[in-house]
Amino acid sequence: MSTDQSQPLIYSVGTQVVAQKEVMTSNDRIAHPAGAVGVIVRAPKDRTHAYRVKFSDGFEAAIHHNQMVRLAEFKSQRIRNEHSPLMSAGLFDRVIYRCVIGSRAYGLDDDSSDTDRRGIYLPPAELHWSLYGVPEQLENDVTQEVYWELQKFIVLALKANPNVLECLYSPIVESVTPLGEELLAMKDAFLSKLVFQTYSGYVASQFKKMQTDFRNQGRVKWKHVMHLIRLLLSGTHVLSHGRVNVDVGEHRDQLLAIKRGEMPFNEADQWRNELQRQFESAFKMTKLPDRPDYERVNAFLVDARGRAMEKDLP
């Protein structure tokens, strides 16, 4: 499970793709024309590196993300072109809630920290019902902004996705419409014991990978270690107090020491084990329900869909 739903999508191995430019051989001859279909046989960790794509004749080439498109998307490009209503609908103007997350909201920022904005947008009803559909999220890499479509956001929150729950409880709210205020007023409806399974399961699996990396390579991604510890602190607070505590400034010195690699990994792992025991104890004692309030949340979504027909953004 990823804890950062805002990360740019990476196509998986086995995905059929269409080359958007000519595929060249090592001696600059054209191996396949633009429009050729291939299959991804190796995917990178991020978009700064190339994929390995295999074509029908067995030829393989390194192709970057912006030089290809998924076959399924290619087939629908006549619908989703630059003249379609989706491209001119002004969806960024349909944001009902905008907040800041990341280090600035966590109380872990410094002079070099980015300002990461997240939020929710409500698409107009006619576009939502249309052939064109709506994207599950809007992204602006330049301004570090990501906005989830309302239903997508709600589904993630009901599953106790940490990034989404933190968005609901961010101490830095930049803008909110009346509809957004209604959602914030019922944010407790999203909290349940699922927080324990979601948070602890992810932290345990990630630390297991890090222990392997540390044994084999003698190093780990310290920023990731810090955020896993922060998740345990946050999860324990949710179960104990019934709300998400985004600002972990009281642990700032220890967490930043981990981020800088100043705390030995074994010590960080010991702290993680201690926090896991506290998390389990809080789970046994929590007054949160077994599941979130699906009916209350669903009623809100249905009402919001109806209000999406209004001329002005609700």
Side-chain angles (χ1 to χ4, degrees):
M1 181 196 76
S2 173
T3 65
D4 191 354
Q5 297 294 323
S6 68
Q7 287 297 316
L9 174 69
I10 299 296
Y11 300 151
S12 60
V13 171
T15 300
Q16 289 185 295
V17 295
V18 177
Q20 297 287 71
K21 65 174 223 176
E22 294 175 338
V23 180
M24 311 299 290
T25 65
S26 58
N27 56 357
D28 291 331
R29 293 185 178 181
I30 298 176
H32 291 280
V37 177
V39 177
I40 294 174
V41 294
R42 188 172 71 237
K45 293 182 179 180
D46 55 59
R47 290 189 181 181
T48 63
H49 296 84
Y51 294 79
R52 194 72 181 172
V53 179
K54 186 174 184 178
F55 293 87
S56 58
D57 60 354
F59 180 79
E60 295 185 10
I63 303 179
H64 283 273
H65 194 97
N66 62 356
Q67 298 172 342
M68 62 185 183
V69 63
R70 283 184 295 186
L71 178 61
E73 293 178 3
F74 180 81
K75 291 178 179 179
S76 65
Q77 279 184 346
R78 291 185 66 99
I79 295 175
R80 291 179 179 269
N81 62 32
E82 66 273 17
H83 302 298
S84 75
L86 176 62
M87 299 306 172
S88 58
L91 295 182
F92 278 93
D93 295 329
R94 302 283 300 181
V95 172
I96 63 172
Y97 175 62
R98 178 184 290 108
C99 69
V100 174
I101 64 165
S103 59
R104 297 195 183 281
Y106 301 147
L108 301 174
D109 57 304
D110 55 34
D111 293 339
S112 63
S113 296
D114 294 326
T115 299
D116 300 313
R117 291 180 172 86
R118 299 292 181 271
I120 309 164
Y121 85 96
L122 177 72
E126 61 179 15
L127 186 59
H128 188 84
W129 298 331
S130 74
L131 175 65
Y132 308 105
V134 295
E136 291 188 336
Q137 66 185 45
L138 309 175
E139 299 181 24
N140 187 328
D141 294 335
V142 175
T143 57
Q144 299 291 310
E145 294 177 84
V146 175
Y147 302 101
W148 290 278
E149 190 276 323
L150 178 61
Q151 182 172 337
K152 178 64 175 182
F153 181 92
I154 283 175
V155 170
L156 291 172
L158 289 170
K159 294 179 179 179
N161 179 284
N163 298 306
V164 171
L165 291 182
E166 288 170 0
C167 184
L168 276 176
Y169 283 83
S170 173
I172 310 175
V173 176
E174 292 192 333
S175 66
V176 59
T177 69
L179 181 63
E181 289 177 341
E182 291 178 29
L183 179 61
L184 293 181
M186 56 175 283
K187 56 189 175 185
D188 61 309
F190 295 96
L191 300 183
S192 72
K193 292 179 181 177
L194 287 178
V195 165
F196 177 73
Q197 285 83 12
T198 302
Y199 284 40
S200 63
Y202 177 72
V203 172
S205 65
Q206 291 298 302
F207 252 93
K208 184 175 182 180
K209 293 178 181 178
M210 287 187 175
Q211 288 167 339
T212 301
D213 290 342
F214 189 74
R215 284 196 303 268
N216 295 339
Q217 303 173 23
R219 65 179 185 272
V220 293
K221 295 180 179 179
W222 290 108
K223 184 177 180 179
H224 192 36
V225 175
M226 178 192 72
H227 282 300
L228 292 176
I229 294 292
R230 184 188 58 77
L231 271 183
L232 289 177
L233 290 167
S234 177
T236 300
H237 191 277
V238 174
L239 296 179
S240 301
H241 302 282
R243 66 181 309 276
V244 179
N245 184 37
V246 178
D247 190 336
V248 290
E250 62 180 300
H251 302 284
R252 177 182 172 90
D253 291 342
Q254 286 175 286
L255 290 171
L256 291 182
I258 293 177
K259 181 181 178 181
R260 294 189 296 263
E262 296 172 358
M263 181 183 293
F265 180 75
N266 290 340
E267 185 176 333
D269 199 16
Q270 289 175 3
W271 190 16
R272 189 265 305 188
N273 284 320
E274 178 185 343
L275 291 175
Q276 179 64 31
R277 288 191 291 271
Q278 294 176 14
F279 198 15
E280 292 175 0
S281 178
F283 176 64
K284 295 176 183 178
M285 302 294 291
T286 187
K287 295 181 180 179
L288 288 179
D290 291 337
R291 292 291 186 271
D293 192 340
Y294 296 113
E295 293 303 319
R296 184 181 174 192
V297 174
N298 184 65
F300 169 82
L301 178 60
V302 171
D303 178 65
R305 286 279 186 257
R307 291 162 66 179
M309 293 187 290
E310 299 174 6
K311 180 179 179 180
D312 297 323
L313 184 65

